[in-house]
């Protein structure tokens, strides 16, 4: 960082699975070339944003890109055997071992994060079993400055643990899972930091395909040689009914229903996060305008100076349920993967090709470039 540069910019990264983290890599690469990057003091990230944010906070974006370009689907989530699904979930969470093998010990990275110039804050959802409902909002936030490295490493992995695929993880004394359930787009936390005077955000816009029922067809085909056995015959009938439900647009089975509910929760929560920020900004601007114009309006209509001052004091003394006292300039890149989206199927899907990955990174870069140019953000003096 240049001497005298103030850290006053917050970076916000949403969840978005494989497509999201690739596009966020392009977003961060372009942001790192701008005049805003030396001012970035905080990175708030959930799920894919937690992973990308970790490497960005350490200024290791080239290493992040290399890691993602070489990443295979089974190095993130490896499908379990069908009989294991009710017990340990659809997939084995292989990402922790992959990071350890290809990037390095995540605890060591978290120790490095604790001394980095930029603070990383990641979010997970609290699913700890308790005798009574917790009084908190089930959201867990972990700061690289305040969290022990071993717990921070667990938090980063838990934030990215898609709960429709893998079981929750232990994070310190909590049991946690995918942060997308509670805070997929952690915009409000950036606004809540009084030191922040500007926000630059990436919001991934997902497109969810229909549930893949090919696994059911495969299981049915394997069971057919044993269809004379009554329990097997009954199971085949249930599988056929599940396929019929899928054709009608209904949830094929329980996992499909949970997946749909998660999509609903994530998409609605993300939209509300941005809508709340927009509404609060507008309210603050309107309150400032009232404070300027109302006293003068009273004077213009012949009221006494004493009354005008009383009105002014009352307006300035008004208390509203805002968690902050200022509106902030915000640059948001909203992007979907569109035609280059990689498959994120519940079971086995297509391989992730290098050209597709590079296309997603480039798309994130180009969309960010356009948004920064629109906002009048200059390139960094180091990249000119």
């Amino acid at each position: 960082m240049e001497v005298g540069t103030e850290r006053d910019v917050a970076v916000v990264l949403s969840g978005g699975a494989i497509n999201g983290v690739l596009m966020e890599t392009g977003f961060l690469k372009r942001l790192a070339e701008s005049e805003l990057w030396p001012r970035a003091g905080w990175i708030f990230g959930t799920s894919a944003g937690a992973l990308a944010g970790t490497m960005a906070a350490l200024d290791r974006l080239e290493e992040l890109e290399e890691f993602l370009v070489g990443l295979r689907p089974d190095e993130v989530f490896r499908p379990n055997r069908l009989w294991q699904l009710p017990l340990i979930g659809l997939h084995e969470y292989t990402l922790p071992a992959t990071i350890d093998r290809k990037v390095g010990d995540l605890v060591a990275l978290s120790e490095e994060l604790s001394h980095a110039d930029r603070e990383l804050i990641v979010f997970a959802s609290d699913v700890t079993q308790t005798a009574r409902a917790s009084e908190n909002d089930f959201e867990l936030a972990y700061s690289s400055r305040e969290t022990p490295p071993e717990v921070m490493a667990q938090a980063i992995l838990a934030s990215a643990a898609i709960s429709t695929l893998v079981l929750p993880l232990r994070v310190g004394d909590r049991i946690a899972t995918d942060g997308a359930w509670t805070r997929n787009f952690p915009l409000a936390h950036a606004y809540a930091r009084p030191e922040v005077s500007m926000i630059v955000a990436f919001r991934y816009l997902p497109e969810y395909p229909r549930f893949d029922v090919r696994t059911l067809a495969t299981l049915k085909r394997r069971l057919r040689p044993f269809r004379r056995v009554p329990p097997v015959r009954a199971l085949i009938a249930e599988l056929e009914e599940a396929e019929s439900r899928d054709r009608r647009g209904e949830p094929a089975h329980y996992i499909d229903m949970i997946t749909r509910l998660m999509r609903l929760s994530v998409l609605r929560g993300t939209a509300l996060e941005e809508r709340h920020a927009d509404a609060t900004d507008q309210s603050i601007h309107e309150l400032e305008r009232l404070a300027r114009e109302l006293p003068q309006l009273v004077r213009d209509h012949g009221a006494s100076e004493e009354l005008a001052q009383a009105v002014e004091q009352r307006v300035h003394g008004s208390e509203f349920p805002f968690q902050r006292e200022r509106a902030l300039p915000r640059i948001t890149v909203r992007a979907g993967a569109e035609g280059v989206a990689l498959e994120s199927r519940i079971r086995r899907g297509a391989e992730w090709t290098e050209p597709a990955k590079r296309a997603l990174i480039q798309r994130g870069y180009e969309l960010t470039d356009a948004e920064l140019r629109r906002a009048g953000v200059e390139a960094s003096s180091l990249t000119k």
Side-chain angles (χ1 to χ4, degrees):
M1 187 175 81
E2 296 179 4
V3 177
T5 301
E6 181 184 1
R7 300 277 183 181
D8 63 342
V9 172
V11 179
V12 179
L13 303 172
S14 77
I18 182 63
N19 294 310
V21 74
L22 286 163
M23 295 185 74
E24 283 176 342
T25 300
F27 164 84
L28 289 164
K29 285 179 63 179
R30 178 60 185 89
L31 183 60
E33 296 173 1
S34 78
E35 62 182 354
L36 297 178
W37 188 242
R39 294 167 51 191
W42 306 265
I43 300 176
F44 299 85
T46 297
S47 194
L51 296 174
T54 297
M55 302 301 281
L58 296 172
D59 278 315
R60 294 167 68 169
L61 291 175
E62 290 185 6
E63 190 174 346
L64 172 64
E65 182 174 5
E66 180 182 354
F67 170 74
L68 292 173
V69 167
L71 192 64
R72 302 191 311 269
D74 62 358
E75 291 179 317
V76 184
F77 302 108
R78 181 184 298 129
N80 286 321
R81 297 177 183 274
L82 290 173
W83 66 267
Q84 294 176 302
L85 306 191
L87 300 174
I88 58 175
L90 290 168
H91 290 72
E92 176 189 355
Y93 194 23
T94 52
L95 181 62
T98 303
I99 291 175
D100 186 67
R101 186 176 70 256
K102 292 190 172 185
V103 180
D105 179 31
L106 195 51
V107 175
L109 288 177
S110 298
E111 173 65 31
E112 190 178 343
L113 275 172
S114 68
H115 304 292
D117 291 332
R118 298 178 180 89
E119 180 181 1
L120 174 69
I121 303 93
V122 302
F123 301 87
S125 301
D126 191 353
V127 292
T128 308
Q129 186 67 38
T130 55
R132 51 187 291 182
S134 173
E135 294 181 357
N136 66 25
D137 56 4
F138 303 100
E139 175 184 284
L140 298 170
Y142 297 92
S143 163
S144 60
R145 298 272 173 82
E146 302 171 359
T147 307
E150 62 275 10
V151 177
M152 190 67 190
Q154 296 166 347
I156 294 167
L157 293 171
S159 182
I162 301 176
S163 52
T164 53
L165 301 183
V166 298
L167 293 176
L169 304 178
R170 178 169 292 280
V171 181
D173 62 349
R174 312 308 294 169
I175 305 300
T177 190
D178 194 348
W181 283 102
T182 50
R183 189 74 67 171
N184 186 57
F185 188 44
L187 195 58
H189 285 272
Y191 273 103
R193 288 293 178 107
E195 307 95 329
V196 172
S197 64
M198 184 177 187
I199 295 172
V200 186
F202 183 92
R203 177 186 168 187
Y204 178 65
L205 305 175
E207 293 181 7
Y208 291 109
R210 286 176 60 87
F211 192 85
D212 184 6
V213 295
R214 288 182 299 179
T215 299
L216 303 181
T218 300
L219 179 58
K220 186 174 67 173
R221 186 173 61 253
R222 291 176 178 176
L223 289 173
R224 274 178 181 155
F226 312 100
R227 60 183 177 275
R228 293 183 180 276
V229 180
V232 175
R233 188 164 59 248
L235 179 54
I236 291 174
E238 289 293 338
L239 292 172
E240 290 174 344
E241 179 58 31
E243 290 176 315
S244 178
R245 286 195 296 272
D246 178 74
R247 287 192 294 271
R248 297 194 300 268
E250 302 169 9
H253 44 61
Y254 189 73
I255 295 173
D256 188 4
M257 184 189 74
I258 295 299
T259 302
R260 294 188 188 201
L261 288 173
M262 182 178 182
R263 292 169 182 170
L264 181 154
S265 174
V266 171
L267 292 176
R268 186 173 187 274
T270 301
L272 288 175
E273 188 90 8
E274 197 164 22
R275 194 180 307 164
H276 175 74
D278 290 340
T280 303
D281 279 342
Q282 182 180 353
S283 298
I284 291 172
H285 286 309
E286 283 298 306
L287 183 58
E288 291 173 347
R289 191 161 74 92
L290 276 175
R292 290 193 309 269
E293 297 178 1
L294 193 56
Q296 188 58 48
L297 186 64
V298 171
R299 293 185 182 97
D300 291 345
H301 283 73
S304 66
E305 182 61 26
E306 184 180 61
L307 178 58
Q309 291 179 2
V311 169
E312 185 174 6
Q313 290 175 3
R314 179 64 187 88
V315 171
H316 283 295
S318 299
E319 294 186 5
F320 291 87
F322 305 141
Q323 295 181 342
R324 49 193 167 91
E325 298 178 352
R326 81 273 190 226
L328 297 179
R330 171 163 41 102
I331 299 173
T332 303
V333 178
R334 301 174 186 85
E338 297 184 359
V340 291
L342 300 178
E343 293 185 5
S344 295
R345 296 188 180 277
I346 294 297
R347 299 296 288 172
R348 295 187 186 278
E351 288 298 315
W352 297 340
T353 66
E354 180 175 336
K357 291 176 185 174
R358 293 200 182 279
L360 285 166
I361 293 171
Q362 185 63 24
R363 177 169 170 75
Y365 182 98
E366 291 174 353
L367 290 170
T368 305
D369 180 65
E371 204 64 44
L372 291 178
R373 289 178 183 275
R374 191 176 297 114
V377 176
E378 299 290 338
S380 169
S381 59
L382 299 177
T383 60
K384 288 180 179 178

